[in-house]
Amino acid sequence: MAPAPADPLRPIFLFGTLLHPPLFEAVAGEAAPFQPARRPRHRVARVAGQDFPVMVAGGAAAYGALVADLSPSALARLDYYEAAFGYHPAEIEVIDAAERPVAALAYLPAPGRWQASAEAWSLGTWIAAHGARTLG
């Protein structure tokens, strides 16, 4: 059975490569404002042996951004992109910039799909190494 698509009524919490606005726009097919948010008691780690991130329990907080009010087409495109990595929308709670809890979705892998390394994943490092290539 295929995973359920992203719910258009919930914001999506981005924590990885899609925080690079040119990549987000290329994948989603539209721009969207990013609103800072964090998921307490989680961290964003580099996947062992890979250059992309995974969000896992532990750590002070996983920092990222919320995007909302995306078109059905943009949501379908994000679902397709994330599915290539084995990530599917999952319900989570994050804290927004006003310190309010927000029910959101995040693209997460099935348990055991990827192993998190001890290394924190860095958007800046990823952009320097892969940003231009992902848009070419």
Side-chain angles (χ1 to χ4, degrees), residues 21-43:
L23 179 61
F24 178 86
E25 291 173 21
V27 171
E30 62 189 56
F34 289 7
Q35 303 298 322
R38 71 183 189 284
R39 187 176 188 198
R41 298 174 305 283
H42 285 76
R43 68 186 181 95

Side-chain angles (χ1 to χ4, degrees), residues 4-114:
D7 179 348
L9 301 179
R10 288 189 189 242
I12 296 176
F13 179 69
L14 304 175
F15 60 87
T17 61
L18 290 173
L19 287 170
H20 184 39
L23 179 61
F24 178 86
E25 291 173 21
V27 171
E30 62 189 56
F34 289 7
Q35 303 298 322
R38 71 183 189 284
R39 187 176 188 198
R41 298 174 305 283
H42 285 76
R43 68 186 181 95
V44 179
R46 188 179 59 76
V47 169
Q50 304 291 332
D51 286 331
F52 60 89
V54 65
M55 183 170 48
V56 294
Y63 290 89
L66 291 168
V67 293
D69 301 320
L70 297 172
S71 70
S73 173
L75 291 171
R77 290 170 63 128
L78 292 171
D79 287 349
Y80 182 81
Y81 173 82
E82 292 287 356
F85 300 94
Y87 285 52
H88 302 286
E91 295 180 0
I92 65 167
E93 185 174 276
V94 298
I95 305 299
D96 70 11
E99 296 298 318
R100 296 176 302 218
V102 176
L105 297 174
Y107 287 99
L108 302 174
R113 172 70 168 100
W114 298 109

